[in-house]
Every structure is written in C-alpha cells, then in structure tokens.
Amino acid sequence: MRAQRGVLTMPQNGSTRQRITRAFPLWLVVLVFVLLCAIAVRAPSIAMPFFADDFVFLEQVRNRSFLAAISAPDQLGHYGRPIGRQVFFWLVAQLGGESPLAFHLANCLLFLASLTLLFALVRRKIGDAPALIAITFLAFHYAVDPLLQWASGSQDLLALLFSLVAIHLYCRNRRWLAAAALALALLSKEVAAATVFIAPAASRPPPNLATGVRKSLPMLAITAAWVLWRYLHGDHPPLHVAWIIPGVIHALQVVTGIEAGQGRPPATLWWVMTALVVVAASVVAWLTRTPSVAYPAPAPRAEPDPTWPLRVGAVWALAGTLVILPALDVWSAYYYVFALCGVALMLAGIIVLVITLPSLPRYRESFATPCSPWTWQSHVNGAYLARGTALVARYLVQLKDIYPRLPPKSTLFFSSVPTASGWQSGDGALMRWAYRDSSLRSYFLSDFTRGTAERGPFFVLSFKGDEIQDWSGAPLLLPGIAYALLRDDQPRGATDALDMALRAHPFDSRFQYWRAWTRWATGDTALAIADLTAVGMRLGRASPIRATPLSTAELVERRNAACLDPVVHVALATQWLSSAEGRQDGVIEAYAAHLLDPRSPMTSVLWARARSIETIEPRSAGYIE
C-alpha cells in the first residue's frame, strides 16, 4: 500500500508487531507504566481527607471571587504563596466543590506532569533509558507521599512543575518566558529559588561568567524582585550557617530512605520498584537501538554528554538543599523533593557511566593522546578502536583507488597522519597486508632517509581532512620534502632529500644553499662551508646595519659577503617573511639565523614565528614554486 499524508499504512513486508513497535515506542510504554505505578502504589492517598492547613486555605477562598481570594491576606501570616495556596485552592474548589478527592487528583496530575517534564529534559540531553531511571527514582520515593496525601502539598508540586517549565524554556533560549515560569514557581513555594542556579547549569555552559550572567538576567531580575517583595512584607527568614551540616545529613537520610524511629524503612517499596524499572529501562534501551519512526527522540543540540546528569544533578541537589535551610528546624523529608530531582539525575548519570546501558555508547567519545601517566582517560579504549578502524578502512579504499597495485619494493611516505589512527604501525605492516606484498614498506615522512627512499620506487602522500592527497608526481618533490623536514627540525632527512634533489638539479644554487644549513644543523660544518662557498658566499661578519632601512637587494649583498653573521639573516628573514612571495626564503634565513646564534632570544622567536606562518605539511612543489 502507498503511504498517504496523515494515514498510517501497513508496511508491505511488516508484521503487526512491527507496526505496534513503531507507533508506540517502548520508552513511551515504560514511561506510562512508571507513571501509572507511581499513582497506583499511592492509591490510598487519594481517599484521605483534608488535614490542618487545608481547612485554612479552603476558608480563605470560600465564597470569594478570584480577585478577592488572591488579594486576601495569608491567614497563616507567613510566606507569600498566592499560586500554591489561593489560586490553586480557588480553582480546584470551584471545579471539585471542596472535595478532598478533587484536590488529591489535582495533586496527582501535577506530580505526573512534573515527572513527564523531568523525563523529557533528561531524554533530550542523554537518552531514553537514563531518563526512565531518573523519574523512577523520584516516582516511587517515599518523600513524595505527603505531597499526595495532603492537599496543601500543591505548593511543592506547583513550585516543582513551574521550575521544570522554566528550565525547559531556558534550555531553549526562551529567557523571558523562563523568567515568567520562574515567577509562578516562586509564588508557589520558596524552594523554586534554586532554579536560578539550576537552569544555567542544565543549559549549554556559557563561554564565560559574564555571558552566563547576561543570559540569566531575566531570571535574576525576577528572583531579586521576589526577594525584595518578600522582605518588604516582613519575611526575614533566619540564616544559620551551622544548619548546613544537619541539612546535608538529612539530605543523605532522605536519599537513602533511612530515618530513625521507624519500624520499617519507608523506602522499601521505593527501592524495589526503582530496581524493577531500572531493569526494564535496560531492556528498553536494548530493544530501541533503532530510533522510532513515529515518535523519534528529539535530536540533541550537541553530542550526548554522559557527565551532564552528574554536573547538573550536583548543582540541583545542592541548591535544593540550601534553599530549605531557613525551615530546617521543622524539617521533613518532603522538603527535599525538589533536591531529589538532582539526586535522580546523578543516579542516572552514575548508572550510565558505571553500568553503561546499551542505549548509550559503551565508552567515552574520547581518549587520551598525550604520552603521560597523568591522563584522566585510557589511551586505548572503545572510542580509540572504533575511530581508528573506521579511518583505516576509509583511507585504504581511497589508497586503492589511487594505486590499485604498487611495484615491488615500493616505499610509501605519509604526512599529516591523523592522530592515534593506527595507520602507520612499524615499517608498513598495514600496506603489506592490504597489497599482499611483503616487499612494501611505509614510514612517516619525518622518517625520510636516502636509505628508505632508494630501495625502490617511493611515493609521498598526505592526509587532508577525509582525503588522501598524492604528491608523488610533483616535479620538485624532493626539494619539497626537504623544505618540510627542515621546518620540522629534521635536518638529516632534509639533507638526504637535498642530496637526491641535487643529483637531478646539480647546478641549482638555491637547493645547495638550503643543504648548507641542513648540514650545519647536523654538525657537519665543513661540508656546510663548502656548500656556502660553492654558491658564492663569503665567510665573516658584516659591518653593523645602519639605522636607515636597507632594501632587500642590499641585505642580500651583505648576507653574501658575510654569510655567518646572524644579524644579517635576521634582517633578511624579517623582510621576506612579511611577504607571500619571499616567505619560503624567509623561513630559510630564519633557520640560518637560529643555527648561527641558537641562544639568542631574537633568533629563537624569529624561528618560531617562521615555523608558525605556514602549516607544517609537505606540499612538495607548492612550497618552492
């Protein structure tokens, strides 16, 4: 059947099971299962009556219009939570007629919406299975029970819901909408103040602190206005720095479900249900390795970062704990529900890194390249092998397209080989395997010598991006190799390349001048002086250069008259390096100045500048055109 717009048609070779899997991805099935179970295990809470503060809030909105209800003073005489108290109780009372069932159902909906938003946030950042683990931890946590058993739990639930909305909007660069959502959260309960720290952490990190503050200005302004409004209304919460210690201790109690004086740990059911859904999430991750067609996962803005839940979770948990310190003298586990969202992220992140769920890579997408025992990552891991094998396979196809066959005893020299690709091992085992010829050899271009190049035909290739470039047919290949090796401080290989080049061009004074300095660098000053005198140079020192600038021709004459004077080489190199036409000769002059006076800071800086002007890539004739 042909697919039509808006019509779901049966695949021609698909089964019913395939259609169901595509229409209803397993992560969605497990998500619904978790949400339903989270409410089912708390079914007795729905039948509970009003309690304590519930009656105060009901009385505050009873027989009043909406404006009258929200403008009436808080009867408890503390805090300013018009959204979590007056607005919520007025709306639900109007719809449900002051029925406890209506308030408990409303709280259940708020809780389910919060779990769904948390799932969406984590799923967008790092994947399905970690998101399922995170919401499972929170869904069955015993600290949530009072919020569903008590109608007044709407304050915490609304603060959590609007905070999650603000974080979502902030991550999507809707800064002012995020600030508006934060305002609603702050007017629900004070714990939402932690959002101003969590949202920037959950988003992509800014390049610097100033940029991060600028992007967060709307939220910071809303938070500052809220603090001022609270202060002007007489809300001066106590600040006890010493309470940080019990605050952290109680947080650990709540996270693990350990509270003294209880016959049975309240987290027993929570741990069991969490473990079951973690297993289910692992199965889902395996079964959904192929992305869903009907409900594809939202594409992340960047590559998934397995450290994101740990980094954001730590900020979330810490900020959520600090904001409740003023009320710690009457602490309860449900105070930490907001902070538990961060703990849920951290739990998911730890499982991702330690257990390595199948929905995420089994390795970090990076590896260590420096040769040092102090690296934080393995030098050889899954990422290294996956990248290396993929590169080698791709480059071998290109090499075979360039050279389907190679003559016996051929030698291949490679430059700009991708780091840690495994392309060049030993003296060419890969080439011998690929061409099934035991006489082949291959080396890095930096290992070029006359012995390796003259054993048979040789070829020079370089890597640029995803392509192999062949320079073997360049008319001035050997001088180009010598120039590249000279700039890479490989004077012996450069000398050998120039020896071979001068056989083909015996009267080329330019190449002989280059060889003089590569010989000097190897310590063979006698042959170096012989080359210099052969090209018409005279030894000695030149007279001091006058203050008025000399022309290039005048500097060349001074150099020819006193070729061992580094000052003349410095002046000539400085002039040539400033122009594209003379840049290559400027590199040679900077090299000569550095060899003649290696301890001089001036010559060292000049040589470093000369080497950095061009990419160190042997483009053969391109360097000496």
Side-chain angles (χ1 to χ4, degrees):
M1 297 179 64
R2 180 171 297 179
Q4 301 177 7
R5 185 184 299 273
V7 179
L8 180 63
T9 58
M10 181 182 297
Q12 294 181 357
N13 58 349
S15 63
T16 303
R17 179 184 179 278
Q18 288 175 328
R19 285 185 285 116
I20 293 175
T21 301
R22 292 192 173 191
F24 300 99
L26 286 179
W27 64 260
L28 180 59
V29 175
V30 177
L31 172 62
V32 173
F33 171 74
V34 172
L35 298 180
L36 292 177
C37 287
I39 299 302
V41 297
R42 298 185 176 92
S45 302
I46 299 177
M48 293 186 67
F50 291 123
F51 176 73
D53 294 349
D54 297 343
F55 299 106
V56 176
F57 302 145
L58 285 171
E59 186 177 25
Q60 188 173 0
V61 301
R62 187 180 297 127
N63 299 325
R64 290 184 176 179
S65 66
F66 178 75
L67 292 178
I70 62 175
S71 60
D74 195 321
Q75 294 189 24
L76 293 182
H78 64 287
Y79 305 117
R81 306 171 184 172
I83 302 297
R85 292 180 176 180
Q86 293 98 309
V87 173
F88 176 80
F89 273 80
W90 188 89
L91 290 174
V92 179
Q94 294 294 320
L95 296 174
E98 295 194 10
S99 166
L101 178 62
F103 281 87
H104 291 312
L105 288 177
N107 281 357
C108 287
L109 291 177
L110 293 176
F111 182 53
L112 294 179
S114 299
L115 290 176
T116 304
L117 285 176
L118 182 63
F119 172 84
L121 177 66
V122 181
R123 179 174 181 255
R124 183 171 183 262
K125 292 294 184 180
I126 56 173
D128 301 342
L132 291 172
I133 294 170
I135 68 161
T136 300
F137 175 87
L138 186 64
F140 300 105
H141 201 287
Y142 79 99
V144 178
D145 293 350
L147 304 182
L148 302 180
Q149 295 168 341
W150 195 11
S152 297
S154 60
Q155 301 167 89
D156 292 84
L157 293 172
L158 284 168
L160 176 59
L161 178 64
F162 287 127
S163 294
L164 286 167
V165 171
I167 294 170
H168 271 275
L169 292 171
Y170 187 94
C171 291
R172 295 177 181 272
N173 293 320
R174 305 291 181 87
R175 313 297 187 190
W176 287 103
L177 289 178
L182 176 59
L184 295 176
L186 291 170
L187 296 177
S188 298
K189 195 170 183 179
E190 303 77 31
V191 70
T195 308
V196 75
F197 303 104
I198 300 167
S203 180
R204 182 175 299 178
N208 52 60
L209 180 60
T211 302
V213 172
R214 186 178 68 253
K215 290 183 177 181
S216 302
L217 278 179
M219 298 182 71
L220 290 171
I222 288 294
T223 305
W226 171 77
V227 171
L228 180 61
W229 173 71
R230 292 284 303 271
Y231 183 83
L232 294 177
H233 281 74
D235 182 18
H236 307 149
L239 297 176
H240 301 287
V241 178
W243 284 9
I244 295 177
I245 297 176
V248 173
I249 293 174
H250 295 324
L252 295 176
Q253 284 183 273
V254 174
V255 168
T256 57
I258 301 174
E259 289 190 42
Q262 301 192 24
R264 178 179 64 86
T268 302
L269 177 62
W270 157 53
W271 280 115
V272 172
M273 293 299 295
T274 300
L276 289 176
V277 180
V278 165
V279 174
S282 301
V283 175
V284 168
W286 174 256
L287 295 178
T288 56
R289 298 187 307 279
T290 302
S292 169
V293 173
Y295 299 93
R301 296 182 182 274
E303 290 296 323
D305 180 9
T307 65
W308 179 87
L310 297 177
R311 183 179 66 252
V312 178
V315 174
W316 200 323
L318 178 61
T321 299
L322 293 178
V323 294
I324 67 171
L325 291 182
L328 202 64
D329 53 340
V330 289
W331 82 276
S332 297
Y334 77 86
Y335 285 12
Y336 289 91
V337 168
F338 194 89
L340 286 175
C341 293
V343 178
L345 293 185
M346 296 175 68
L347 175 64
I350 291 172
I351 293 177
V352 166
L353 294 178
V354 177
I355 302 181
T356 60
L357 291 174
S359 65
L360 291 177
R362 290 185 174 273
Y363 46 82
R364 294 291 304 276
E365 291 293 345
S366 58
F367 49 88
T369 54
C371 295
S372 170
W374 300 104
T375 59
W376 286 98
Q377 290 180 289
S378 300
H379 289 78
V380 177
N381 56 15
Y384 173 91
L385 296 174
R387 173 182 176 273
T389 53
L391 288 176
V392 168
R394 182 163 66 248
Y395 289 141
L396 275 180
V397 171
Q398 295 185 33
L399 182 61
K400 285 294 191 74
D401 288 340
I402 299 173
Y403 294 110
R405 294 179 179 275
L406 289 172
K409 294 188 176 181
S410 293
T411 303
L412 295 92
F413 294 96
F414 296 103
S415 70
S416 302
V417 178
T419 303
S421 63
W423 176 263
Q424 178 57 41
S425 299
D427 60 353
L430 176 61
M431 297 299 104
R432 292 191 288 273
W433 173 84
Y435 285 94
R436 300 297 191 269
D437 186 347
S438 60
S439 69
L440 300 182
R441 299 289 185 271
S442 71
Y443 303 93
F444 291 110
L445 187 62
S446 57
D447 296 326
F448 182 93
T449 64
R450 186 187 309 174
T452 56
E454 291 184 338
R455 59 181 299 273
F458 74 91
F459 305 85
V460 177
L461 304 103
S462 66
F463 294 82
K464 185 175 183 181
D466 288 337
E467 296 182 356
I468 294 181
Q469 296 180 331
D470 182 20
W471 300 102
S472 305
L476 295 176
L477 173 63
L478 288 167
I481 294 174
Y483 180 79
L485 294 177
L486 179 150
R487 292 181 65 248
D488 203 19
D489 277 334
Q490 301 288 338
R492 294 193 182 278
T495 301
D496 285 351
L498 289 169
D499 286 343
M500 298 171 66
L502 285 169
R503 292 179 190 172
H505 308 276
F507 302 108
D508 196 313
S509 59
R510 191 184 189 195
F511 300 156
Q512 195 167 3
Y513 179 67
W514 290 9
R515 189 177 65 176
W517 296 119
T518 60
R519 282 178 167 177
W520 191 287
T522 61
D524 195 346
T525 55
L527 288 179
I529 291 175
D531 278 336
L532 290 172
T533 55
V535 296
M537 302 283 177
R538 295 192 298 273
L539 309 181
R541 298 268 178 173
S543 58
I545 298 177
R546 62 179 182 269
T548 56
L550 297 177
S551 66
T552 302
E554 291 175 323
L555 287 174
V556 170
E557 290 181 3
R558 281 177 169 268
R559 181 203 62 182
N560 295 343
C563 62
L564 298 185
D565 189 344
V567 176
V568 178
H569 291 285
V570 168
L572 192 54
T574 303
Q575 283 201 12
W576 270 335
L577 288 175
S578 61
S579 65
E581 296 79 9
R583 183 172 298 167
Q584 292 161 2
D585 289 324
V587 170
I588 302 299
E589 296 304 322
Y591 185 55
H594 180 61
L595 291 176
L596 293 171
D597 193 2
R599 296 184 180 181
S600 170
M602 179 176 59
T603 61
S604 299
V605 170
L606 181 64
W607 176 230
R609 177 195 166 201
R611 297 184 66 194
S612 65
I613 285 178
E614 296 181 90
T615 304
I616 302 178
E617 177 185 343
R619 297 196 178 189
S620 305
Y623 275 136
I624 54 178
E625 289 176 349

